Amino acid sequence: MKLAAYIRVSTGSQTISPEAQRTAIERYAELYNHEVILWANDVASGSKRNRPGLARALASKADGIIVAKLDRLTRDIRHLLAVIDGLDGMQIISVAEQLDTTSPNGRFFVTLLGAMAQWEREVISQRTKDCLAENKRNGKRWTRVAPLGNKWENGRLVANDDERTMIQLAGELRDEGLTLDLVAQRLNEAGYVTRRGGALGKWSICRMLKREVS
């Protein structure tokens, strides 16, 4: 068969590298005497549907699409069903699961595994949200960058007195009727800087005054 190979890497950490995906596909194709006529790839989350690489593979003249692992194709069951419905005679071959869609049983198990991939993604997402919420309730670190007016000390959020003084001063200057540019100028003259050590500007002051300090 002539196949379009599809490789996807997400924007976060990888469990299977693009190199490993390509190697698995090449070995499978060689073993079963398939010809890969197109290599397509995307850097995107498994739940994202707008993927140019996948669109290229689906629009190719290949007999099927081959992936190293089914969750490289998608981790959203509705998207997977949409892809299967729109195959127009093309097959889906997954190296890791040793599955294809040439038979009703193959389509059933591909759909089943797709549902499991979505379930896993949603469970991980919910656990992450629960963990972050619990850490926030307990005053523990839940984000890399501390909210303005705060800082991290030993994994706990504590007040950043310098930033809070700066925010208070900015508010007082605005109450006096000074423009954002003048407020920034006064704070710069007083020695205040951004977290990166740069000069404060009017947009820095605007964002600063819109944030709630807790």
Side-chain angles (χ1 to χ4, degrees):
M1 284 195 300
K2 294 183 178 181
L3 301 175
Y6 179 67
I7 293 174
R8 180 183 66 81
V9 293
S10 65
T11 52
S13 59
Q14 295 303 312
T15 55
I16 176 170
S17 69
E19 294 80 11
Q21 292 179 58
R22 186 180 183 101
T23 298
I25 291 171
E26 288 176 336
R27 289 176 177 173
Y28 186 96
E30 182 179 0
L31 179 64
Y32 291 96
N33 198 29
H34 297 315
E35 179 186 0
V36 177
I37 62 172
L38 172 71
W39 288 93
N41 61 80
D42 284 309
V43 178
S45 165
S47 60
K48 184 178 179 181
R49 297 196 181 193
N50 183 20
R51 291 190 243 148
L54 181 57
R56 283 179 56 223
L58 290 171
S60 69
K61 301 297 183 181
D63 299 315
I65 298 176
I66 183 171
V67 291
K69 197 169 185 288
L70 189 60
D71 66 6
R72 298 301 87 198
L73 185 65
T74 181
R75 299 190 74 174
D76 184 304
I77 185 60
R78 288 173 297 181
H79 187 207
L80 177 62
L81 292 175
V83 170
I84 292 175
D85 287 341
L87 286 176
D88 192 24
M90 293 179 70
Q91 301 174 25
I92 294 178
I93 298 176
S94 174
V95 176
E97 289 86 3
Q98 291 288 300
L99 290 172
D100 62 55
T101 55
T102 56
S103 67
N105 284 342
R107 288 191 292 274
F108 169 75
F109 282 110
V110 166
T111 303
L112 179 62
L113 288 171
M116 292 176 64
Q118 177 175 324
W119 170 80
E120 180 184 26
R121 174 174 60 84
E122 292 177 352
V123 167
I124 292 173
S125 176
Q126 187 59 52
R127 285 176 178 171
T128 301
K129 291 177 182 177
D130 292 343
C131 182
L132 293 177
E134 181 66 20
N135 285 345
K136 188 172 183 178
R137 283 194 296 269
N138 295 331
K140 295 180 180 180
R141 188 166 188 162
W142 71 87
T143 180
R144 184 176 62 85
V145 180
L148 193 66
N150 301 275
K151 60 183 178 180
W152 293 112
E153 281 190 0
N154 299 321
R156 291 190 173 273
L157 196 67
V158 298
N160 185 322
D161 294 333
D162 289 339
E163 283 188 353
R164 295 198 177 203
T165 300
M166 176 181 65
I167 296 168
Q168 181 180 352
L169 180 57
E172 292 173 353
L173 292 172
R174 281 292 284 167
D175 290 340
E176 292 176 8
L178 273 66
T179 65
L180 293 172
D181 283 322
L182 284 176
V183 172
Q185 180 181 330
R186 293 285 183 85
L187 292 179
N188 286 323
E189 290 172 351
Y192 291 106
V193 295
T194 66
R195 283 185 170 178
R196 295 184 177 182
L200 294 164
K202 67 177 182 180
W203 297 117
S204 302
I205 304 303
C206 184
R207 288 191 296 269
M208 181 190 307
L209 296 177
K210 283 184 177 178
R211 291 177 181 173
E212 179 181 353
V213 178
S214 58

